[in-house]
Amino acid sequence: QVQLVESGGGLVQAGGSLRLSCAGSGRTFSTSIMGWFRQAPGKERQFVAAIGWRAGVTSYADSVKGRFTISRENAKNTVYLQMNSLKPEDTAVYYCAATMPAGTRYDYWGQGTQVTVSA
């Protein structure tokens, strides 16, 4: 069974940092695009960041550029999201997602981890 499990969420004050992790199991994700999305209450899910299987290929939403960094460790089948200078508007449930090998559609999703940023 293929699974993605997020961890690292929590409550933090504005200006603080959190590091999210997403561990994959059931198959290797070394040739998958890995992404982070978030959904705030009453809002649609939005793209946050993605990382390709080729080293150094990343993409970010404008709202998080310069503050968030996505990285991956293929040996551990894990992707990370380092979040710095957090703002109250970053409060959301954060989801990890992955494509099929060499694919472009996100076919696998985690259950999400809550991030709450207090003012």
Side-chain angles (χ1 to χ4, degrees):
Q1 182 182 1
V2 178
Q3 280 190 315
L4 295 173
V5 179
E6 303 96 335
S7 61
L11 174 64
V12 64
Q13 288 187 331
S17 298
L18 282 174
R19 188 195 195 205
L20 304 183
S21 299
C22 172
S25 61
R27 58 160 281 245
T28 179
F29 291 97
S30 60
T31 57
S32 298
I33 299 171
M34 305 291 292
W36 287 96
F37 293 76
R38 66 187 182 187
Q39 187 167 19
K43 295 187 177 181
E44 293 187 352
R45 185 172 59 193
Q46 64 175 187
F47 169 78
V48 175
I51 185 166
W53 56 272
R54 292 186 180 89
V57 179
T58 58
S59 177
Y60 296 93
D62 287 343
S63 59
V64 306
K65 279 181 182 176
R67 300 189 297 122
F68 291 11
T69 302
I70 189 170
S71 61
R72 65 191 298 164
E73 193 171 358
N74 288 336
K76 293 186 177 181
N77 229 18
T78 299
V79 63
Y80 305 97
L81 185 67
Q82 178 67 43
M83 306 186 295
N84 298 329
S85 302
L86 283 161
K87 305 174 182 180
E89 51 263 44
D90 294 318
T91 294
V93 177
Y94 283 72
Y95 297 92
C96 171
T99 68
M100 295 286 281
T104 58
R105 184 183 68 187
Y106 290 100
D107 289 307
Y108 304 106
W109 292 85
Q111 293 300 306
T113 185
Q114 176 70 47
V115 171
T116 302
V117 184
S118 62

